[in-house]
Coordinates of all heavy atoms in Angstrom, one line a residue:
M1320 N 0.8 -1.2 0.0 CA 0.0 0.0 0.0 C 0.9 1.3 0.0 O 1.9 1.3 0.7 CB -0.9 0.0 1.2 CG -2.1 0.9 1.1 SD -3.3 0.6 2.4 CE -2.5 1.6 3.8
E1321 N 0.5 2.3 -0.8 CA 1.3 3.5 -0.9 C 1.1 4.3 0.4 O 0.0 4.5 0.9 CB 0.8 4.3 -2.1 CG 1.9 5.3 -2.5 CD 1.4 6.0 -3.8 OE1 0.8 5.4 -4.6 OE2 1.7 7.2 -3.9
E1322 N 2.2 4.8 0.9 CA 2.2 5.6 2.1 C 1.7 7.0 1.8 O 2.2 7.6 0.8 CB 3.6 5.6 2.8 CG 3.5 6.2 4.2 CD 4.9 6.6 4.7 OE1 5.9 6.5 4.0 OE2 5.0 6.9 5.9
I1323 N 0.9 7.6 2.6 CA 0.5 9.0 2.4 C 1.6 9.9 2.8 O 2.2 9.7 3.8 CB -0.8 9.3 3.3 CG1 -2.0 8.5 2.7 CG2 -1.2 10.8 3.2 CD1 -3.2 8.4 3.6
N1324 N 1.9 10.9 2.0 CA 3.0 11.9 2.3 C 2.6 12.7 3.5 O 1.6 13.5 3.4 CB 3.2 12.8 1.0 CG 4.3 13.8 1.2 OD1 4.8 13.9 2.3 ND2 4.6 14.5 0.2
P1325 N 3.4 12.6 4.6 CA 3.0 13.4 5.8 C 3.1 14.9 5.6 O 2.5 15.7 6.4 CB 4.0 12.9 6.9 CG 5.2 12.4 6.1 CD 4.6 11.9 4.8
C1326 N 3.9 15.3 4.6 CA 4.1 16.8 4.4 C 2.8 17.5 4.1 O 2.7 18.7 4.5 CB 5.1 17.0 3.4 SG 6.7 16.3 3.7
T1327 N 1.9 16.9 3.5 CA 0.6 17.6 3.1 C -0.2 17.9 4.3 O -1.1 18.8 4.2 CB -0.2 16.8 2.1 OG1 -0.5 15.5 2.7 CG2 0.5 16.5 0.8
A1328 N 0.0 17.3 5.4 CA -0.7 17.6 6.6 C 0.2 18.3 7.6 O 0.0 18.3 8.8 CB -1.3 16.3 7.3
C1329 N 1.3 18.9 7.1 CA 2.3 19.5 8.0 C 2.7 20.9 7.6 O 2.1 21.9 8.0 CB 3.5 18.6 8.1 SG 4.8 19.2 9.2
G1330 N 3.7 21.0 6.8 CA 4.2 22.3 6.3 C 5.1 23.0 7.3 O 5.4 24.2 7.1
A1331 N 5.5 22.3 8.4 CA 6.3 23.0 9.5 C 7.6 23.5 9.0 O 8.0 24.6 9.4 CB 6.5 22.0 10.6
C1332 N 8.3 22.8 8.1 CA 9.6 23.3 7.7 C 9.5 24.5 6.7 O 10.5 25.2 6.4 CB 10.4 22.2 7.1 SG 9.7 21.3 5.7
C1333 N 8.3 24.9 6.3 CA 8.1 26.1 5.5 C 7.8 27.3 6.5 O 7.6 28.4 6.0 CB 6.9 25.9 4.6 SG 7.0 24.4 3.6
A1334 N 7.7 27.0 7.8 CA 7.4 28.0 8.7 C 8.3 27.8 10.0 O 7.8 27.9 11.1 CB 5.9 27.8 9.1
A1335 N 9.5 27.6 9.7 CA 10.5 27.4 10.8 C 11.8 28.0 10.6 O 12.5 28.4 11.6 CB 10.6 25.9 11.1
F1336 N 12.3 28.0 9.4 CA 13.7 28.4 9.1 C 13.7 29.4 7.9 O 12.7 29.5 7.2 CB 14.5 27.2 8.6 CG 14.4 26.0 9.5 CD1 13.8 24.8 9.0 CD2 14.8 26.0 10.8 CE1 13.7 23.7 9.8 CE2 14.7 24.9 11.6 CZ 14.1 23.7 11.1
R1337 N 14.9 30.1 7.8 CA 15.1 30.8 6.6 C 15.4 29.9 5.4 O 16.2 29.0 5.5 CB 16.3 31.8 6.7 CG 16.4 32.7 5.5 CD 17.5 33.7 5.7 NE 18.8 33.1 5.8 CZ 19.9 33.6 6.4 NH1 19.8 34.7 7.0 NH2 21.0 32.9 6.4
V1338 N 14.6 30.0 4.3 CA 14.8 29.2 3.2 C 15.6 29.9 2.1 O 15.1 30.8 1.4 CB 13.4 28.7 2.6 CG1 13.6 27.9 1.4 CG2 12.6 28.0 3.6
S1339 N 17.0 29.7 2.1 CA 17.9 30.4 1.3 C 18.5 29.5 0.3 O 18.7 28.3 0.5 CB 18.9 31.2 2.1 OG 19.6 30.3 2.9
F1340 N 18.9 30.1 -0.9 CA 19.4 29.2 -2.0 C 20.3 30.1 -2.9 O 20.1 31.4 -2.9 CB 18.3 28.6 -2.7 CG 17.2 29.5 -3.1 CD1 17.2 30.2 -4.3 CD2 16.1 29.8 -2.2 CE1 16.2 31.1 -4.6 CE2 15.1 30.7 -2.5 CZ 15.2 31.4 -3.8
Y1341 N 21.1 29.5 -3.7 CA 21.9 30.3 -4.7 C 20.9 31.0 -5.7 O 20.0 30.4 -6.2 CB 22.8 29.3 -5.5 CG 23.6 29.9 -6.6 CD1 24.4 31.0 -6.3 CD2 23.5 29.4 -7.9 CE1 25.2 31.6 -7.3 CE2 24.3 30.0 -8.9 CZ 25.1 31.1 -8.6 OH 25.9 31.7 -9.5
W1342 N 21.1 32.3 -5.8 CA 20.1 33.1 -6.5 C 19.7 32.6 -7.9 O 18.5 32.7 -8.3 CB 20.6 34.6 -6.6 CG 21.8 34.8 -7.5 CD1 23.1 34.7 -7.1 CD2 21.7 35.1 -8.9 NE1 23.9 34.9 -8.2 CE2 23.1 35.1 -9.3 CE3 20.7 35.3 -9.8 CZ2 23.4 35.4 -10.6 CZ3 21.0 35.5 -11.1 CH2 22.4 35.6 -11.5
A1343 N 20.7 32.0 -8.6 CA 20.4 31.6 -10.0 C 19.4 30.5 -10.1 O 18.8 30.2 -11.1 CB 21.7 31.3 -10.7
E1344 N 19.2 29.8 -9.0 CA 18.2 28.7 -8.9 C 16.8 29.2 -9.3 O 16.0 28.4 -9.8 CB 18.1 28.1 -7.5 CG 19.0 26.9 -7.3 CD 18.7 26.3 -5.9 OE1 17.5 26.2 -5.6 OE2 19.6 25.9 -5.2
A1345 N 16.5 30.4 -8.8 CA 15.2 30.9 -9.0 C 14.8 30.9 -10.5 O 13.7 30.4 -10.9 CB 15.1 32.3 -8.4
A1346 N 15.7 31.5 -11.3 CA 15.4 31.5 -12.8 C 15.4 30.1 -13.4 O 14.6 29.8 -14.2 CB 16.4 32.4 -13.5
E1347 N 16.4 29.3 -12.9 CA 16.5 27.9 -13.4 C 15.2 27.1 -13.2 O 14.8 26.3 -14.0 CB 17.7 27.2 -12.8 CG 19.1 27.6 -13.3 CD 20.2 27.2 -12.5 OE1 20.0 26.3 -11.6 OE2 21.3 27.7 -12.7
N1348 N 14.7 27.3 -12.0 CA 13.5 26.5 -11.6 C 12.2 27.2 -12.1 O 11.1 26.6 -11.9 CB 13.4 26.3 -10.1 CG 14.5 25.4 -9.6 OD1 15.1 24.7 -10.4 ND2 14.8 25.5 -8.3
G1349 N 12.3 28.5 -12.5 CA 11.0 29.2 -12.9 C 10.2 29.7 -11.7 O 9.0 29.8 -11.8
L1350 N 11.0 30.0 -10.6 CA 10.3 30.5 -9.4 C 9.8 31.9 -9.7 O 10.5 32.8 -10.0 CB 11.3 30.5 -8.2 CG 10.8 30.7 -6.8 CD1 9.8 29.7 -6.4 CD2 12.0 30.8 -5.9
P1351 N 8.5 32.1 -9.4 CA 7.9 33.5 -9.7 C 8.6 34.6 -8.9 O 8.9 34.4 -7.7 CB 6.4 33.3 -9.3 CG 6.1 31.9 -9.5 CD 7.4 31.2 -9.1
E1352 N 8.9 35.7 -9.5 CA 9.7 36.8 -8.9 C 9.2 37.2 -7.5 O 10.0 37.5 -6.6 CB 9.8 37.9 -9.8 CG 11.0 37.8 -10.7 CD 11.3 39.1 -11.6 OE1 10.9 40.2 -11.1 OE2 11.9 38.9 -12.6
G1353 N 7.9 37.4 -7.4 CA 7.4 37.9 -6.1 C 7.6 37.0 -4.9 O 7.3 37.4 -3.8
L1354 N 8.0 35.8 -5.2 CA 8.1 34.8 -4.1 C 9.4 34.8 -3.4 O 9.6 34.1 -2.3 CB 7.7 33.4 -4.6 CG 6.3 33.2 -5.1 CD1 6.1 31.8 -5.5 CD2 5.3 33.7 -4.1
Y1355 N 10.4 35.5 -3.9 CA 11.7 35.4 -3.3 C 12.3 36.8 -3.3 O 11.8 37.7 -4.0 CB 12.7 34.4 -4.0 CG 13.0 34.7 -5.4 CD1 14.1 35.4 -5.8 CD2 12.1 34.4 -6.4 CE1 14.4 35.7 -7.1 CE2 12.4 34.7 -7.8 CZ 13.5 35.3 -8.1 OH 13.8 35.7 -9.4
E1356 N 13.4 37.0 -2.5 CA 14.1 38.3 -2.5 C 15.6 38.1 -2.3 O 16.0 37.0 -1.8 CB 13.5 39.1 -1.3 CG 13.8 38.4 0.1 CD 13.0 39.0 1.2 OE1 12.2 39.9 1.0 OE2 13.1 38.4 2.3
P1357 N 16.4 39.1 -2.6 CA 17.9 38.9 -2.5 C 18.2 38.9 -1.0 O 17.6 39.5 -0.2 CB 18.4 40.2 -3.1 CG 17.3 41.1 -3.4 CD 16.0 40.4 -3.2
L1358 N 19.2 38.0 -0.7 CA 19.7 37.9 0.7 C 21.2 38.5 0.8 O 21.5 39.3 1.6 CB 19.6 36.5 1.2 CG 20.2 36.2 2.5 CD1 19.4 36.9 3.6 CD2 20.1 34.6 2.8
T1359 N 22.0 37.9 -0.1 CA 23.4 38.4 -0.2 C 23.7 38.6 -1.7 O 22.8 38.4 -2.5 CB 24.4 37.4 0.4 OG1 24.5 36.3 -0.5 CG2 24.1 37.0 1.8
S1360 N 24.9 38.8 -2.1 CA 25.3 39.0 -3.5 C 25.1 37.7 -4.2 O 25.0 37.7 -5.5 CB 26.7 39.5 -3.6 OG 27.6 38.6 -3.0
V1361 N 25.1 36.6 -3.5 CA 24.9 35.3 -4.2 C 23.7 34.4 -3.8 O 23.4 33.4 -4.4 CB 26.2 34.4 -4.1 CG1 27.4 35.0 -4.9 CG2 26.6 34.2 -2.7
L1362 N 23.1 34.9 -2.7 CA 22.0 34.1 -2.2 C 20.7 34.9 -2.3 O 20.6 36.1 -2.2 CB 22.2 33.7 -0.7 CG 23.4 32.8 -0.4 CD1 23.5 32.6 1.1 CD2 23.2 31.4 -1.1
A1363 N 19.6 34.1 -2.4 CA 18.2 34.7 -2.3 C 17.5 33.9 -1.2 O 18.0 32.8 -0.8 CB 17.5 34.6 -3.6
N1364 N 16.4 34.4 -0.7 CA 15.6 33.6 0.2 C 14.1 33.7 -0.2 O 13.7 34.7 -0.8 CB 15.8 33.9 1.6 CG 15.5 35.4 2.0 OD1 16.3 36.2 2.0 ND2 14.2 35.6 2.3
M1365 N 13.4 32.7 0.2 CA 11.9 32.8 0.0 C 11.4 33.9 0.9 O 11.7 34.0 2.0 CB 11.2 31.4 0.4 CG 11.6 30.3 -0.6 SD 11.2 30.6 -2.3 CE 9.4 30.7 -2.3
R1366 N 10.5 34.7 0.3 CA 9.9 35.8 1.1 C 9.2 35.3 2.3 O 8.5 34.2 2.1 CB 9.0 36.6 0.2 CG 9.7 37.6 -0.7 CD 8.7 38.6 -1.3 NE 9.3 39.3 -2.4 CZ 10.0 40.5 -2.2 NH1 10.1 41.0 -1.0 NH2 10.5 41.1 -3.3
G1367 N 9.3 35.9 3.4 CA 8.6 35.5 4.6 C 9.4 34.6 5.5 O 9.0 34.3 6.6
T1368 N 10.6 34.2 5.0 CA 11.3 33.2 5.8 C 12.5 33.9 6.5 O 13.2 33.2 7.3 CB 11.8 32.0 5.0 OG1 12.8 32.4 4.1 CG2 10.7 31.3 4.3
N1369 N 12.8 35.1 6.2 CA 14.0 35.8 6.8 C 13.5 36.7 7.9 O 13.7 37.9 7.9 CB 14.8 36.5 5.7 CG 16.1 37.0 6.3 OD1 16.6 36.5 7.3 ND2 16.7 38.0 5.6
C1370 N 12.9 36.1 8.9 CA 12.4 36.9 10.0 C 12.3 36.0 11.3 O 12.5 34.8 11.2 CB 11.1 37.6 9.7 SG 9.8 36.4 9.1
R1371 N 11.9 36.6 12.4 CA 11.8 35.9 13.6 C 10.8 34.8 13.6 O 11.0 33.7 14.2 CB 11.5 36.9 14.8 CG 11.8 36.3 16.1 CD 11.4 37.3 17.2 NE 12.3 38.5 17.3 CZ 13.3 38.5 18.1 NH1 13.5 37.5 19.0 NH2 14.1 39.6 18.1
S1372 N 9.7 35.0 13.0 CA 8.6 34.0 12.9 C 8.4 33.7 11.5 O 7.5 34.2 10.8 CB 7.3 34.5 13.6 OG 7.5 34.7 14.9
P1373 N 9.3 32.8 10.9 CA 9.2 32.6 9.4 C 8.0 31.9 9.0 O 7.4 31.0 9.7 CB 10.5 31.8 9.2 CG 11.1 31.5 10.4 CD 10.3 32.1 11.6
R1374 N 7.5 32.3 7.8 CA 6.5 31.5 7.1 C 6.6 31.9 5.7 O 6.4 33.1 5.3 CB 5.1 31.8 7.6 CG 4.0 31.0 6.8 CD 2.6 31.3 7.2 NE 1.7 30.7 6.3 CZ 0.8 29.7 6.5 NH1 0.7 29.2 7.7 NH2 0.1 29.3 5.5
C1375 N 6.9 30.9 4.9 CA 7.1 31.2 3.4 C 5.8 31.7 2.8 O 4.7 31.2 3.1 CB 7.6 29.9 2.8 SG 7.8 30.1 1.0
V1376 N 6.0 32.7 1.9 CA 4.8 33.3 1.3 C 4.1 32.3 0.3 O 3.0 32.4 0.0 CB 5.1 34.6 0.5 CG1 5.5 35.7 1.4 CG2 6.2 34.3 -0.6
A1377 N 4.9 31.2 -0.1 CA 4.3 30.2 -1.0 C 3.5 29.2 -0.3 O 2.9 28.3 -0.9 CB 5.4 29.6 -1.8
L1378 N 3.5 29.2 1.1 CA 2.8 28.2 1.8 C 1.3 28.6 2.0 O 1.0 29.7 2.5 CB 3.4 28.0 3.2 CG 2.8 26.9 4.0 CD1 3.1 25.5 3.4 CD2 3.3 26.9 5.5
S1379 N 0.4 27.8 1.6 CA -1.0 28.1 1.9 C -1.5 27.0 2.8 O -1.0 25.9 2.9 CB -1.8 28.1 0.6 OG -2.0 26.8 0.1
G1380 N -2.6 27.3 3.5 CA -3.2 26.4 4.5 C -2.7 26.6 5.9 O -2.0 27.6 6.2
E1381 N -3.0 25.7 6.7 CA -2.7 25.8 8.2 C -1.6 24.7 8.5 O -1.8 23.5 8.3 CB -4.0 25.5 9.0 CG -3.8 25.8 10.5 CD -5.1 25.5 11.2 OE1 -6.2 25.5 10.6 OE2 -5.0 25.2 12.4
V1382 N -0.5 25.2 9.1 CA 0.6 24.3 9.5 C 0.0 23.3 10.5 O -0.7 23.6 11.5 CB 1.7 25.1 10.1 CG1 2.8 24.2 10.7 CG2 2.4 26.0 9.1
G1383 N 0.4 22.0 10.3 CA -0.1 20.9 11.2 C -1.4 20.4 10.8 O -1.9 19.4 11.5
S1384 N -2.1 21.0 9.8 CA -3.4 20.5 9.5 C -3.5 20.1 8.0 O -3.5 19.0 7.6 CB -4.4 21.6 9.8 OG -5.7 21.3 9.4
E1385 N -3.5 21.1 7.1 CA -3.5 20.9 5.7 C -2.8 22.0 5.0 O -3.1 23.2 5.2 CB -4.9 20.7 5.2 CG -4.9 20.2 3.8 CD -6.4 20.0 3.3 OE1 -7.3 20.0 4.1 OE2 -6.5 19.9 2.0
T1386 N -1.7 21.7 4.3 CA -0.9 22.8 3.7 C -0.6 22.4 2.2 O -0.7 21.2 1.8 CB 0.4 23.0 4.4 OG1 1.1 21.8 4.5 CG2 0.2 23.6 5.8
H1387 N -0.2 23.4 1.5 CA 0.1 23.3 0.1 C 1.1 24.3 -0.3 O 1.0 25.5 0.1 CB -1.3 23.4 -0.7 CG -1.1 23.4 -2.2 ND1 -0.7 22.3 -2.9 CD2 -1.2 24.5 -3.1 CE1 -0.6 22.6 -4.2 NE2 -0.9 23.9 -4.3
C1388 N 2.1 23.9 -1.1 CA 3.1 24.9 -1.6 C 2.6 25.4 -3.0 O 2.5 24.5 -3.9 CB 4.4 24.2 -1.7 SG 5.6 25.3 -2.6
I1389 N 2.3 26.7 -3.1 CA 1.8 27.2 -4.4 C 2.9 27.2 -5.5 O 2.7 27.4 -6.6 CB 1.2 28.6 -4.3 CG1 2.2 29.6 -3.9 CG2 0.0 28.5 -3.3 CD1 1.7 31.0 -4.1
A1390 N 4.2 27.0 -5.0 CA 5.3 27.0 -6.0 C 6.0 25.7 -6.0 O 7.2 25.6 -6.3 CB 6.3 28.1 -5.5
Y1391 N 5.2 24.6 -5.8 CA 5.8 23.3 -5.6 C 6.7 22.9 -6.8 O 7.8 22.4 -6.6 CB 4.7 22.3 -5.5 CG 5.2 20.9 -5.1 CD1 5.6 20.6 -3.8 CD2 5.3 19.9 -6.0 CE1 6.2 19.4 -3.4 CE2 5.9 18.6 -5.7 CZ 6.2 18.4 -4.4 OH 6.8 17.2 -4.1
E1392 N 6.3 23.1 -8.0 CA 7.0 22.7 -9.2 C 8.3 23.5 -9.4 O 9.3 23.1 -9.9 CB 6.2 22.9 -10.5 CG 5.0 22.0 -10.5 CD 5.3 20.5 -10.4 OE1 6.4 20.1 -10.9 OE2 4.5 19.7 -9.8
S1393 N 8.3 24.7 -8.8 CA 9.5 25.6 -9.0 C 10.2 25.9 -7.6 O 11.1 26.7 -7.6 CB 9.1 26.9 -9.6 OG 8.1 27.5 -8.9
R1394 N 9.9 25.1 -6.6 CA 10.5 25.3 -5.3 C 12.1 25.1 -5.4 O 12.6 24.4 -6.1 CB 9.9 24.4 -4.3 CG 10.2 22.9 -4.4 CD 9.2 22.1 -3.7 NE 9.6 20.7 -3.7 CZ 9.6 19.8 -4.7 NH1 9.3 20.2 -5.9 NH2 10.0 18.5 -4.5
P1395 N 12.8 25.9 -4.5 CA 14.2 25.8 -4.5 C 14.8 24.6 -3.8 O 14.0 23.8 -3.2 CB 14.7 27.1 -3.8 CG 13.5 27.4 -2.8 CD 12.3 26.9 -3.5
S1396 N 16.1 24.4 -3.9 CA 16.7 23.2 -3.5 C 16.5 22.8 -2.0 O 16.3 21.6 -1.7 CB 18.3 23.2 -3.8 OG 18.8 24.3 -3.2
P1397 N 16.5 23.8 -1.0 CA 16.3 23.3 0.4 C 14.9 22.6 0.5 O 14.8 21.7 1.3 CB 16.3 24.6 1.2 CG 17.0 25.6 0.3 CD 16.7 25.2 -1.1
C1398 N 14.0 23.1 -0.3 CA 12.6 22.4 -0.2 C 12.6 21.1 -0.8 O 12.0 20.1 -0.3 CB 11.6 23.3 -0.9 SG 11.7 25.1 -0.4
R1399 N 13.4 20.9 -1.9 CA 13.5 19.6 -2.5 C 14.3 18.6 -1.7 O 14.1 17.4 -1.8 CB 14.2 19.7 -3.9 CG 13.4 20.5 -4.9 CD 14.1 20.8 -6.1 NE 13.4 21.8 -6.9 CZ 12.4 21.5 -7.8 NH1 12.2 20.2 -8.1 NH2 11.8 22.4 -8.5
E1400 N 15.2 19.1 -0.8 CA 16.0 18.2 0.1 C 15.3 17.9 1.4 O 15.7 17.0 2.1 CB 17.3 18.9 0.4 CG 18.2 19.0 -0.9 CD 19.3 20.1 -0.8 OE1 19.4 20.7 0.3 OE2 19.9 20.4 -1.8
A1401 N 14.2 18.5 1.7 CA 13.5 18.3 3.0 C 13.0 16.8 3.0 O 12.4 16.3 2.0 CB 12.3 19.2 3.1
Q1402 N 13.3 16.2 4.1 CA 12.9 14.8 4.3 C 12.1 14.6 5.5 O 12.5 14.9 6.6 CB 14.2 13.9 4.4 CG 15.0 13.8 3.2 CD 14.3 13.0 2.1 OE1 13.6 12.1 2.4 NE2 14.6 13.4 0.8
P1403 N 10.9 14.0 5.4 CA 10.1 13.7 6.6 C 10.9 12.8 7.5 O 11.5 11.9 7.0 CB 8.8 13.0 6.0 CG 8.8 13.4 4.6 CD 10.2 13.7 4.1
R1404 N 10.8 13.1 8.8 CA 11.3 12.2 9.8 C 12.8 12.4 10.1 O 13.4 11.7 10.9 CB 11.1 10.7 9.6 CG 9.6 10.4 9.5 CD 9.3 8.9 9.4 NE 7.9 8.7 9.2 CZ 7.2 8.7 8.1 NH1 7.9 9.0 7.0 NH2 5.9 8.5 8.1
D1405 N 13.5 13.3 9.3 CA 14.9 13.5 9.7 C 15.0 14.6 10.8 O 14.0 15.1 11.3 CB 15.7 13.9 8.4 CG 15.5 15.3 7.9 OD1 14.7 16.0 8.5 OD2 16.1 15.7 6.9
E1406 N 16.2 14.9 11.2 CA 16.4 15.8 12.3 C 15.9 17.2 12.1 O 15.3 17.8 13.0 CB 17.9 15.8 12.6 CG 18.3 16.6 13.9 CD 18.6 18.0 13.6 OE1 19.0 18.4 12.5 OE2 18.5 18.8 14.6
K1407 N 16.0 17.7 10.9 CA 15.5 19.0 10.6 C 14.0 19.1 10.6 O 13.4 20.0 11.1 CB 16.0 19.5 9.2 CG 15.8 21.0 9.0 CD 16.5 21.4 7.7 CE 16.3 22.9 7.4 NZ 16.9 23.3 6.2
C1408 N 13.4 18.0 10.1 CA 11.9 17.8 10.2 C 11.5 17.9 11.6 O 10.5 18.6 12.0 CB 11.5 16.5 9.5 SG 9.8 16.0 9.7
A1409 N 12.1 17.1 12.5 CA 11.7 17.1 13.9 C 11.9 18.5 14.5 O 11.0 18.9 15.3 CB 12.6 16.1 14.7
R1410 N 12.9 19.2 14.2 CA 13.1 20.6 14.7 C 12.0 21.5 14.2 O 11.5 22.3 15.0 CB 14.5 21.1 14.3 CG 15.6 20.9 15.4 CD 16.8 21.7 15.1 NE 17.4 21.4 13.8 CZ 17.9 22.3 13.0 NH1 17.9 23.5 13.2 NH2 18.5 21.9 11.9
A1411 N 11.7 21.4 12.9 CA 10.7 22.3 12.4 C 9.3 22.0 13.0 O 8.6 22.9 13.3 CB 10.6 22.0 10.9
R1412 N 9.0 20.7 13.2 CA 7.8 20.4 13.9 C 7.7 20.9 15.3 O 6.7 21.4 15.8 CB 7.5 18.9 13.7 CG 7.2 18.5 12.3 CD 6.9 17.0 12.1 NE 5.8 16.5 13.0 CZ 4.5 16.5 12.6 NH1 4.2 17.0 11.4 NH2 3.6 16.0 13.5
A1413 N 8.9 20.7 16.0 CA 8.9 21.2 17.4 C 8.7 22.7 17.5 O 7.9 23.2 18.4 CB 10.2 20.8 18.1
I1414 N 9.3 23.4 16.6 CA 9.1 24.9 16.6 C 7.7 25.3 16.4 O 7.2 26.3 16.9 CB 10.0 25.5 15.4 CG1 11.5 25.4 15.8 CG2 9.6 26.9 15.1 CD1 12.4 25.7 14.6
N1415 N 7.0 24.4 15.7 CA 5.5 24.7 15.4 C 4.6 24.0 16.4 O 3.4 23.9 16.1 CB 5.2 24.3 14.0 CG 5.7 25.4 13.0 OD1 5.0 26.4 12.8 ND2 6.9 25.2 12.4
G1416 N 5.2 23.4 17.5 CA 4.4 22.8 18.5 C 3.8 21.4 18.1 O 2.8 21.0 18.6
L1417 N 4.5 20.8 17.2 CA 4.0 19.5 16.7 C 5.0 18.4 17.1 O 6.2 18.6 17.1 CB 3.9 19.5 15.1 CG 3.0 20.5 14.5 CD1 3.2 20.6 13.0 CD2 1.5 20.1 14.8
P1418 N 4.5 17.2 17.4 CA 5.5 16.1 17.8 C 6.2 15.6 16.6 O 5.8 15.7 15.4 CB 4.5 15.0 18.3 CG 3.2 15.3 17.6 CD 3.1 16.8 17.4
A1419 N 7.4 15.0 16.8 CA 8.2 14.4 15.8 C 7.4 13.2 15.2 O 6.5 12.6 15.9 CB 9.5 13.9 16.3
L1420 N 7.6 12.9 13.9 CA 6.9 11.8 13.2 C 7.5 10.5 13.6 O 8.7 10.4 13.9 CB 7.0 12.0 11.7 CG 6.2 13.2 11.2 CD1 6.5 13.4 9.7 CD2 4.8 13.1 11.4
Ligands
SF4_43 S1 9.6 17.5 5.9 FE1 8.8 17.2 8.0 S2 8.5 19.3 8.7 FE2 8.7 19.4 6.5 S3 6.6 19.4 5.8 FE3 7.4 17.3 5.7 S4 6.7 16.4 7.7 FE4 6.6 18.6 7.9
SF4_44 S1 8.7 27.2 -1.5 FE1 7.1 25.8 -1.0 S2 8.2 24.0 -0.1 FE2 9.6 25.7 -0.1 S3 9.4 26.7 1.9 FE3 8.0 27.8 0.5 S4 6.0 26.7 0.8 FE4 7.6 25.4 1.6

């Protein structure tokens, strides 16, 4: 039986850390311009994630309930590398008051 992806009922890592990436990735992936901003001369970050209470502007829905990335097809590398049940996942969920998977 196929396992249900736990991320669709979570979204915690989109609301826990700064999501930064090499700036050229945005154009390579077709990430819409309004969704990211420059961070340094070589890095950009998803808007909404470079602050004390981060929440990516591309995240819709309610963290821990039902979420959706509106930029899923063009999301940057940190989002593609996110793995349910790893240490970063557990930290992101803890930051959002959710138990580890
Ligand atoms: S990787 Fe973990 S923290 Fe991120 S959305 Fe999936 S389950 Fe949630
Ligand atoms: S681009 Fe999508 S997957 Fe990446 S942090 Fe934002 S909402 Fe999450």
Side-chain angles (χ1 to χ4, degrees):
M1320 200 171 78
E1321 200 177 322
E1322 192 195 6
I1323 295 168
N1324 181 354
C1326 300
T1327 57
C1329 179
C1332 58
C1333 312
F1336 313 115
R1337 185 175 68 206
V1338 179
S1339 54
F1340 50 91
Y1341 178 54
W1342 67 272
E1344 266 189 40
E1347 283 166 14
N1348 292 341
L1350 189 61
E1352 269 188 26
L1354 298 183
Y1355 64 95
E1356 61 193 0
L1358 176 62
T1359 69
S1360 58
V1361 292
L1362 294 176
N1364 62 265
M1365 292 304 294
R1366 281 190 192 276
T1368 69
N1369 190 20
C1370 55
R1371 194 183 288 265
S1372 297
R1374 181 181 166 118
C1375 179
V1376 293
L1378 185 69
S1379 72
E1381 189 183 334
V1382 173
S1384 178
E1385 189 176 344
T1386 54
H1387 173 70
C1388 172
I1389 65 165
Y1391 189 77
E1392 296 302 327
S1393 54
R1394 70 201 190 285
S1396 53
C1398 312
R1399 294 172 190 271
E1400 290 157 10
Q1402 290 294 327
R1404 301 184 183 84
D1405 72 3
E1406 186 268 335
K1407 194 173 178 184
C1408 170
R1410 264 195 297 141
R1412 288 180 58 88
I1414 288 168
N1415 283 277
L1417 299 167
L1420 294 173

